[in-house]
Amino acid sequence: MASSFARVLSSKRKVGILSLVGAGSLTVGFFLNREQHVNAGANVRRIYPPSAEYPDLRKHNNCMASHLTPAVYAKLCDKSTPNGYTLDEAIQTGVDNPGHPFIKTVGMVAGDEESYEVFADLFNPVIKERHNGYDPCTMKHPTDLDSSKIRGGNFDEKYVLSSRVRTGRSIRGLSLPPACTRAERREVERVVIDAVAGLKGDLAGKYYSLTLMTDQEQQQLIDDHFLFDKPVSPLLTCAGMARDWPDARGIWHNNEKTFLVWVNEEDHTRVISMEKGGNMKRVFERFCKGLLEVERLIQEKGWEFMWNEHLGYILTCPSNLGTGLRAGVHVTLPRLSKDPRFPKILDNLRLQKRGTGGVDTAAVGSTFDISNLDRLGQSEVQLVQTVIDGVNYLIECEKRLEKGQDIKIPAPISQFK
Amino acid sequence: MPFGNSHNQLKMNNSCEQEYPDLSKHNNYMAKVLKPALYEKLRSKQTPSGFTLDDVIQTGVDNPGHPFIMTVGCVAGDEETYEVFKELLDPIIQDRHGGYKPTDKHKTDLNPSNLKGGDDLDSNYVLSSRVRTGRSIRGFCLPPHCSRGERRAVEKLSVEALGALTGDLKGKYYALKNMTEAEQQQLIDDHFLFDKPVSPLLLASGMARDWPDARGIWHNDNKTFLVWVNEEDHLRVISMQKGGNMKEVFTRFCTGLTKIEELFKNKGHAFMWNEHLGYVLTCPSNLGTGLRAGVHVKLPNLSKYRQFEEVLKRLRLQKRGTGGVDTAAVGGVFDISNADRLGFSEVELMQMVVDGVKLLIEMEKRLEKGQSIDDLMPAQK
């Protein structure tokens, strides 16, 4: 197979050479080679026509179901990525999970970087719907990790209890969690452990493998709210992400417990910067510094992150494309949260509320998790600024309501800058 | 086609050591047998439909151990799995089925007149009687591996065959995805409805994919003969009724099964069967007869008797709670059934259950009166 992303574990040097060529020409190569990728996989086993295999999506409500017409299915069902990942595998989670009570789920995942290309006829409309009109065919995604551009970002700690920024990164050349073999997963772990071992100063830390951690270490990680567990959500388990648990899964964090990396959970890596209190600016500074440093360290060894100029950073779930960034605070808003205008205010500020347990939880008391709605089409700096400006506005509203003053619904801010 | 393992060829680029699963904390039959050398030998193979070694063992890798029983830790994706991965499955079968050798032959006997007695189990103690087995349709992949098209074809064939049953076997099919609320409630009340599997043992093997597509329940109008379609196997066939007339339950079971087999043959389809493994099913634990014949029986005194487990063992019987596998007994009522599946015929297993339960009831009656049961202790069957 002559695919430019031939996934052979010993070809780090090959990947290194590609990275010297530069992201731009990689992207060109990516799209020019479309036909090649499309034919590169082995023939998928088919004894029934597509119409007999087409899933029953009549009771479904997710983005995949909205766009997987019989025609699209017929076109794509015989194809596979160079690694052998198929359409049926990509959509399995959406077939198995018809709908989610709170949110319209995406309903499909990528098994590798090439999935987004080979199954573009389905991924593109799904991405467009999920990311509010972002068109991967025509638009470009800006990446900006220069935290010095942030204005403000030091919240009133009477209201903001904690600040957090997270994203994900995938290691180019290795399959993603739904499809990876045990060897690939272990290689991801090895590459990441190697890199984070090179972090110094306030970023110096330690890795805790899920298979090897002691009871004591486990308890400490639970107390710190760092430990992630085997996924129970059927959205994830149906996509095959929990296979071989807990093999090659682990948690790394710095000694100060403000910078954290999850290895091989829902993505190759999830990177989290967090602190108690309201200093979002510092949280984001550490976030950028840490991310860029880890990137530099893996590049030294000939590896790089999956990225292209249309989709930004490539992650398992299409909902996390672009920046993969969720920047948020835990904030107490007792009066504002009871105001009927609260949802509209959040909407116009392009913010999302969740309970303090994260996605799919309810708020406790009047403390909410408030974070950016968008992931793709705006840069990291832009999204974090949006959160900072938005949370400041919410706090202003709360203060006004405290004094018996009225509040205003802000004008909707523009989405793609 | 379960997750990510269809690209087996690419995996061959990595060494055996890199791919071999970590089974150091595992306690299932697969983990006992699958040493690195065997993994190395088998990992390049696949069945004609593309089922691979990693597909076979995924459930055992993901589920290190079970609190109550030693699980098998592997499944078949098609009939050929048992041949292609013989070197893994034969020792597992031998271990799980009491020493059954690769050269042994399995007897099938579905002639109910060969069963002696069984029509008079004391219904003061025996609340209900039930016999179940499974059947797979030759030429189709099994639940861990089948595509939607195949699963639907199995459903269509099954519905057609069952639709031709007559007399006291005449009945109706309820597709899981089409049933009305009223039908659903009735099936729950009758204890017939099966739900999407929640056990990680089943989920990890990919059997719950596309739920509830092409799954359904058929039962006769009398509610004594029931077929599950596309749950853990292509077909699960169940004969049941209240009370202790095991003979009647078994007779209906045999008649129904034989009739269904005939109807399938008329359409050019056979059940998966061979003279070494008997009826071929998804889980190696159900090979041979696939038969579990049991009763719900009240044994409040005997179950507290210090040698209860030993008695069951000697009678080649197994106890479960009244919720089925992985449940605890409630109020002294136990589900007592045959422990074996392979190496004994259906009639032989039924005979063990009938004779064994009779003895258990006799022991219970003695203990009720405060009498000893030492003279009743059976020899090891």
Side-chain angles (χ1 to χ4, degrees):
Chain A
M1 281 176 284
S3 160
S4 25
F5 300 103
R7 189 188 48 74
V8 177
L9 290 181
S10 55
S11 71
K12 285 175 291 184
R13 205 166 296 135
K14 186 173 180 178
V15 173
I17 289 167
L18 287 174
S19 71
L20 285 176
V21 168
S25 27
L26 271 176
T27 315
V28 169
F30 198 52
F31 284 93
L32 280 183
N33 283 333
R34 182 180 179 152
E35 276 315 304
Q36 197 174 345
H37 287 163
V38 158
N39 295 325
N43 273 339
V44 179
R45 170 177 72 99
R46 285 277 159 219
I47 38 179
Y48 292 89
S51 56
E53 297 284 5
Y54 181 71
D56 183 350
L57 302 173
R58 289 171 297 174
K59 294 196 181 114
H60 285 58
N61 180 40
N62 56 51
C63 296
M64 178 279 292
S66 299
H67 298 283
L68 185 66
T69 62
V72 172
Y73 184 80
K75 187 174 178 194
L76 299 179
C77 66
D78 284 334
K79 306 203 188 318
S80 67
T81 68
N83 300 332
Y85 197 67
T86 62
L87 178 71
D88 279 329
E89 287 172 311
I91 65 172
Q92 190 67 60
T93 178
V95 175
D96 289 347
N97 297 287
H100 190 275
F102 299 160
I103 48 173
K104 185 167 183 182
T105 47
V106 175
M108 65 187 302
V109 292
D112 50 25
E113 188 165 9
E114 295 84 336
S115 296
Y116 286 105
E117 186 51 31
V118 174
F119 306 115
D121 287 327
L122 180 58
F123 270 113
N124 287 348
V126 165
I127 289 168
K128 197 166 176 190
E129 179 184 343
R130 177 56 181 228
H131 294 282
N132 305 298
Y134 182 87
D135 188 348
C137 298
T138 56
M139 293 162 76
K140 291 209 170 64
H141 170 81
T143 291
D144 187 355
L145 286 161
D146 180 359
S147 57
S148 67
K149 293 177 183 162
I150 294 293
R151 294 177 312 282
N154 226 315
F155 298 121
D156 185 339
E157 293 188 357
K158 180 164 165 245
Y159 302 92
V160 173
L161 309 176
S162 61
S163 309
R164 181 183 188 267
V165 183
R166 71 88 159 150
T167 189
R169 290 288 186 265
S170 310
I171 311 287
R172 176 161 279 160
L174 296 167
S175 299
L176 296 169
C180 64
T181 72
R182 278 182 294 272
E184 287 184 289
R185 200 186 294 112
R186 291 163 180 171
E187 185 68 0
V188 167
E189 188 190 32
R190 194 197 62 74
V191 169
V192 175
I193 289 178
D194 205 42
V196 292
L199 292 172
K200 300 190 182 8
D202 69 319
L203 291 178
K206 185 176 167 185
Y207 181 71
Y208 302 86
S209 144
L210 248 58
T211 30
L212 300 173
M213 66 173 64
T214 66
D215 281 346
Q216 209 177 349
E217 286 169 340
Q218 188 176 322
Q219 195 51 53
Q220 186 61 56
L221 287 165
I222 291 172
D223 295 339
D224 290 328
H225 305 289
F226 282 173
L227 187 64
F228 64 87
D229 217 348
K230 181 170 180 174
V232 293
S233 164
L235 300 176
L236 300 184
T237 54
C238 291
M241 296 189 213
R243 287 170 303 126
D244 313 312
W245 201 274
D247 196 322
R249 273 82 168 192
I251 292 163
W252 176 96
H253 69 77
N254 66 348
N255 299 328
E256 298 179 9
K257 298 185 182 179
T258 53
F259 193 67
L260 175 62
V261 178
W262 289 352
V263 180
N264 285 319
E265 191 234 14
E266 188 184 331
D267 280 293
H268 283 174
T269 66
R270 283 287 179 96
V271 180
I272 301 149
S273 173
M274 57 204 265
E275 279 181 30
K276 290 243 177 280
N279 199 338
M280 179 61 98
K281 182 162 167 85
R282 188 167 63 203
V283 167
F284 186 57
E285 277 167 0
R286 185 181 310 107
F287 177 80
C288 295
K289 178 174 153 203
L291 265 177
L292 291 167
E293 189 57 14
V294 170
E295 185 161 19
R296 188 188 67 76
L297 287 162
I298 66 167
Q299 280 171 344
E300 266 179 8
K301 302 285 171 79
W303 297 92
E304 56 182 12
F305 291 140
M306 291 182 196
W307 181 94
N308 71 53
E309 64 177 358
H310 291 280
L311 297 178
Y313 287 102
I314 303 291
L315 294 177
T316 304
C317 181
S319 69
N320 284 320
L321 289 167
T323 59
L325 185 132
R326 194 171 92 84
V329 295
H330 282 186
V331 59
T332 315
L333 301 166
R335 287 166 192 75
L336 180 58
S337 58
K338 292 191 193 64
D339 193 297
R341 293 166 287 186
F342 186 42
K344 184 73 178 141
I345 292 172
L346 288 175
D347 228 33
N348 285 4
L349 292 173
R350 300 206 68 76
L351 296 176
Q352 180 189 60
K353 79 178 193 314
R354 299 181 181 189
T356 49
V359 70
D360 299 346
T361 66
V364 174
S366 36
T367 304
F368 290 84
D369 176 322
I370 303 287
S371 65
N372 52 295
L373 251 181
D374 304 305
R375 304 266 183 276
L376 174 63
Q378 292 188 68
S379 74
E380 290 81 354
V381 164
Q382 286 167 335
L383 291 175
V384 171
Q385 194 64 61
T386 300
V387 171
I388 288 170
D389 296 345
V391 169
N392 279 333
Y393 190 91
L394 296 176
I395 293 172
E396 270 314 300
C397 288
E398 183 68 26
K399 285 176 171 169
R400 290 178 71 87
L401 290 172
E402 273 173 26
K403 294 186 215 138
Q405 293 168 349
D406 197 19
I407 58 172
K408 272 201 311 228
I409 297 175
I413 62 178
S414 69
Q415 190 190 320
F416 300 125
K417 297 199 168 91
Chain B
M1 292 174 280
F3 328 106
N5 285 323
S6 42
H7 51 291
N8 207 42
Q9 280 314 108
L10 230 34
K11 210 182 291 178
M12 297 307 297
N13 289 327
N14 309 325
S15 76
C16 170
E17 200 193 334
Q18 287 169 321
E19 290 289 359
Y20 181 71
D22 180 356
L23 301 174
S24 53
K25 297 198 179 103
H26 285 57
N27 182 40
N28 55 50
Y29 287 111
M30 182 277 292
K32 278 175 81 176
V33 173
L34 188 64
K35 301 292 174 233
L38 187 57
Y39 186 80
E40 169 101 67
K41 195 165 184 203
L42 296 177
R43 72 188 190 113
S44 59
K45 299 191 194 304
Q46 57 187 47
T47 67
S49 75
F51 204 62
T52 65
L53 177 65
D54 279 328
D55 292 335
V56 172
I57 66 172
Q58 191 67 57
T59 179
V61 175
D62 288 348
N63 297 289
H66 190 277
F68 299 159
I69 50 174
M70 175 90 158
T71 48
V72 175
C74 57
V75 293
D78 50 27
E79 191 165 10
E80 294 83 347
T81 301
Y82 288 101
E83 194 49 46
V84 173
F85 299 108
K86 216 169 155 34
E87 283 162 87
L88 170 67
L89 294 171
D90 278 348
I92 290 175
I93 289 167
Q94 189 155 354
D95 208 353
R96 175 60 181 226
H97 292 283
Y100 192 80
K101 296 190 293 296
T103 47
D104 284 340
K105 300 249 187 296
H106 172 81
K107 268 183 322 218
T108 292
D109 182 359
L110 283 161
N111 185 349
S113 56
N114 290 339
L115 177 67
K116 298 196 251 309
D119 51 350
D120 60 348
L121 296 174
D122 191 336
S123 50
N124 289 317
Y125 295 85
V126 177
L127 306 177
S128 59
S129 307
R130 181 183 187 268
V131 184
R132 69 87 158 150
T133 188
R135 290 291 185 265
S136 309
I137 306 176
R138 180 160 280 162
F140 293 89
C141 289
L142 296 169
H145 191 43
C146 64
S147 70
R148 279 181 295 271
E150 284 184 290
R151 200 186 295 113
R152 290 162 178 170
V154 165
E155 185 193 33
K156 182 162 183 289
L157 268 173
S158 303
V159 171
E160 275 168 16
L162 295 167
L165 289 171
T166 57
D168 74 318
L169 291 177
K170 184 164 126 10
K172 186 176 165 186
Y173 181 71
Y174 302 85
L176 248 57
K177 65 178 178 183
N178 289 340
M179 64 176 66
T180 65
E181 298 255 342
E183 286 168 339
Q184 188 176 321
Q185 194 51 52
Q186 187 60 55
L187 287 165
I188 291 172
D189 295 340
D190 290 330
H191 305 289
F192 283 173
L193 188 63
F194 64 89
D195 216 348
K196 181 170 180 173
V198 293
S199 164
L201 301 175
L202 300 183
L203 296 176
S205 69
M207 293 187 214
R209 287 171 301 126
D210 314 313
W211 201 275
D213 196 321
R215 272 84 168 192
I217 292 162
W218 178 96
H219 69 77
N220 65 349
D221 298 333
N222 295 340
K223 297 186 183 180
T224 52
F225 193 69
L226 173 64
V227 178
W228 289 353
V229 179
N230 285 319
E231 191 234 13
E232 188 184 333
D233 279 294
H234 284 169
L235 302 171
R236 282 288 177 96
V237 179
I238 302 150
S239 173
M240 60 203 264
Q241 64 193 53
K242 293 245 178 276
N245 196 339
M246 267 298 223
K247 175 99 177 182
E248 195 171 82
V249 171
F250 186 58
T251 304
R252 185 183 313 110
F253 178 79
C254 295
T255 310
L257 265 178
T258 312
K259 203 87 191 74
I260 292 171
E261 184 160 16
E262 199 188 301
L263 289 162
F264 271 99
K265 283 219 173 97
N266 290 344
K267 294 181 180 299
H269 293 279
F271 290 145
M272 291 185 196
W273 181 94
N274 66 60
E275 62 175 4
H276 167 53
L277 294 178
Y279 288 102
V280 175
L281 294 178
T282 304
C283 181
S285 69
N286 284 320
L287 289 166
T289 60
L291 185 129
R292 195 172 90 83
V295 295
H296 282 187
V297 58
K298 285 193 270 202
L299 300 169
N301 293 294
L302 184 58
S303 56
K304 293 195 197 70
Y305 185 65
R306 72 191 187 289
Q307 286 199 292
F308 182 44
E309 308 273 352
E310 179 63 21
V311 170
L312 291 175
K313 182 169 161 292
R314 292 190 191 181
L315 294 174
R316 306 192 74 87
L317 296 177
Q318 181 187 65
K319 77 179 195 313
R320 299 181 182 191
T322 50
V325 72
D326 300 344
T327 65
V330 175
V333 180
F334 287 82
D335 174 324
I336 302 289
S337 64
N338 52 295
D340 303 297
R341 304 272 182 274
L342 174 66
F344 300 92
S345 74
E346 288 82 354
V347 166
E348 283 169 347
L349 292 176
M350 285 298 303
Q351 198 66 64
M352 277 189 237
V353 174
V354 160
D355 297 345
V357 170
K358 268 193 130 151
L359 181 61
L360 294 176
I361 293 173
E362 218 186 309
M363 287 177 157
E364 177 69 23
K365 286 175 171 169
R366 291 263 197 104
L367 289 172
E368 265 173 35
K369 296 186 214 139
Q371 293 167 353
S372 148
I373 56 170
D374 292 343
D375 61 313
L376 292 178
M377 283 298 286
Q380 176 67 54
K381 277 188 180 283

